[in-house]
Amino acid sequence: MTFTPASRLRRLRRTPALRALVREDRLSTDDLIWPVFVCDGEGITQEVASMPGVIRRSVDLTVEAAAEAHAAGIRVICLFPYTDPSLKTDLCEEAWNPENLSNRAIRAIKAEVPDIAVMTDVALDPYNAQGHDGIVRDGVIVNDESVAALVKMALAQAEAGADILGPSDMMDGRIAAMREAFEGAGYIDTTIMSYAAKYASAFYGPFRDAVGASGALKGDKKTYQLDPFNAEEGLRCVARDLDEGADMVMVKPGMPYLDLCHRVKETFGVPTYAYQVSGEYAMIRAAAGNGWIDGEKAMMESLMAFRRAGCDGVLTYFAPEAAALIRAGWE
Ligand code: PBG
């Protein structure tokens, strides 16, 4: 009995040459944003137990790492400070100290590696004795007072020379307030990548260790971060942030939220990024470390998935490794 398939789609998968010819997308080092953890001191590195391969670096070594990343083709580096617990207060004043760790790191990088874009996180959690992204009063994360503090924090970062500000706090009205303050202060070219569709996720666990926020956090972040069931609400947040003046938007976490990445790009057609967060990184590393998956292939496949879903780029702790593979002609 003869069997004739209606079409033979495997024809185009037969050889590497044919597969390369029909490949729909490519990964480029231009797509990578590298999140780094900064600590105090000089010549210091500290391992992050829950993120094997990720370290905190003092400012001098962060500058060196930025130079190496830039030489490897990475164009954006995103700073996260590990703040000394003694500097954490209920009103988070350290957040807008022009000399805080993050602002010192921005200045040092811009002085030595001016061509790499420096991105920051705008949220109060590294400076908050309560561990939350906003100010807490009687157990409530108060919106408008938090926004006022976030604006002060953002202005200090713009003043230090940050190229991209990433408000990750999920307070209402923060983008409009920052935009207005920037216009008033003359920072008309400071760009905002809003963490617009940011979910209350279990996948941030290792990050909170990395920035030393796990101990301080009381309760959860569900009154401001999105419910993982809700996609429509995520789209509304994106629409609102764009309306208020965001230049770029982010979906976070990444892999469990590829549907959002796709819908954001389809709906708004704006520069869209995913954050492959600490827990996603840790899962791939842990499985690879146990020999259960091929870490390199899983890493690259995860990055391709963001492109396929419609993202223009991805924040990933894998950035240096991925950049090295891309430059070596990885297929
Ligand atoms: C802080 C912030 C978080 C992350 C980025 N900025 C943690 C949180 O919201 O609790 C998580 C990043 C990661 O897990 O890699 N606002």
Side-chain angles (χ1 to χ4, degrees):
M1 194 186 118
T2 57
F3 164 69
T4 312
S7 58
R8 293 190 184 274
L9 295 177
R10 285 184 55 192
R11 258 181 226 128
L12 295 180
R13 297 176 211 142
R14 190 173 57 86
T15 69
L18 289 169
R19 290 197 294 273
L21 186 68
V22 300
R23 175 164 270 185
E24 296 172 29
D25 203 349
R26 295 280 186 293
L27 274 174
S28 154
T29 54
D30 293 343
D31 305 328
L32 304 172
I33 300 175
W34 185 28
V36 297
F37 299 110
V38 187
C39 63
D40 249 311
E42 224 187 292
I44 289 179
T45 58
Q46 299 168 342
E47 288 181 9
V48 179
S50 50
M51 299 178 75
V54 168
I55 54 175
R56 303 183 197 110
R57 300 172 174 81
S58 49
V59 172
D60 54 327
L61 298 184
T62 304
V63 172
E64 270 177 30
E68 280 164 28
H70 183 246
I74 293 171
R75 296 182 181 261
V76 188
I77 191 168
C78 183
L79 305 177
F80 292 97
Y82 177 87
T83 306
D84 191 288
S86 70
L87 295 171
K88 299 186 189 203
T89 59
D90 285 348
L91 291 179
C92 316
E93 289 96 338
E94 180 67 6
W96 53 93
N97 175 358
E99 292 304 320
N100 73 19
L101 185 53
S102 176
N103 292 332
R104 278 185 278 131
I106 296 169
R107 278 195 213 94
I109 295 170
K110 292 311 295 186
E112 299 292 327
V113 199
D115 293 336
I116 200 161
V118 175
M119 177 169 169
T120 59
D121 196 72
V122 189
L124 300 176
D125 53 327
Y127 312 102
N128 195 340
Q130 308 292 319
H132 278 286
D133 295 9
I135 291 169
V136 184
R137 290 210 180 273
D138 299 327
V140 175
I141 291 87
V142 289
N143 194 85
D144 301 5
E145 193 181 344
S146 298
V147 170
L150 291 160
V151 168
K152 285 193 262 182
M153 177 178 185
L155 280 169
Q157 294 178 346
E159 159 71 25
D163 299 284
I164 305 173
L165 265 59
S168 72
D169 54 285
M170 289 298 281
M171 297 299 123
D172 286 323
R174 84 259 208 235
I175 306 296
M178 275 172 212
R179 197 43 98 195
E180 196 183 303
F182 290 170
E183 289 290 323
Y187 300 120
I188 57 173
D189 289 327
T190 302
T191 66
I192 297 179
M193 182 191 292
S194 142
Y195 286 63
K198 175 170 178 178
Y199 287 82
S201 174
F203 290 97
Y204 308 150
F207 171 95
R208 292 178 191 164
D209 284 345
V211 296
S214 337
L217 182 63
K218 296 182 181 75
D220 56 44
K221 300 192 175 184
K222 289 181 184 170
T223 68
Y224 46 108
Q225 299 179 349
L226 290 160
D227 180 342
F229 270 118
N230 295 0
E232 299 296 338
E233 193 184 352
L235 294 178
R236 286 207 297 281
C237 286
V238 171
R240 189 265 316 263
D241 285 4
L242 288 170
D243 196 45
E244 291 188 6
D247 303 292
M248 304 172 262
V249 293
M250 193 201 294
V251 172
K252 180 184 174 201
M255 284 172 74
Y257 296 82
L258 287 177
D259 58 322
L260 260 298
C261 297
H262 184 69
R263 291 182 70 181
V264 168
K265 190 63 179 180
E266 292 266 306
T267 308
F268 302 100
V270 296
T272 301
Y273 302 83
Y275 198 144
Q276 182 177 48
V277 299
S278 56
E280 301 176 61
Y281 171 89
M283 287 195 301
I284 293 176
R285 270 278 191 264
N290 279 300
W292 297 336
I293 57 170
D294 180 320
E296 213 164 77
K297 287 188 182 139
M299 163 180 84
M300 295 306 266
E301 187 176 331
S302 71
L303 298 177
M304 286 173 212
F306 293 114
R307 293 285 317 177
R308 195 189 61 240
C311 290
D312 296 282
V314 52
L315 288 92
T316 176
Y317 301 98
F318 289 124
E321 275 167 81
L325 287 179
I326 291 167
R327 284 169 80 91
W330 191 90
E331 291 251 325

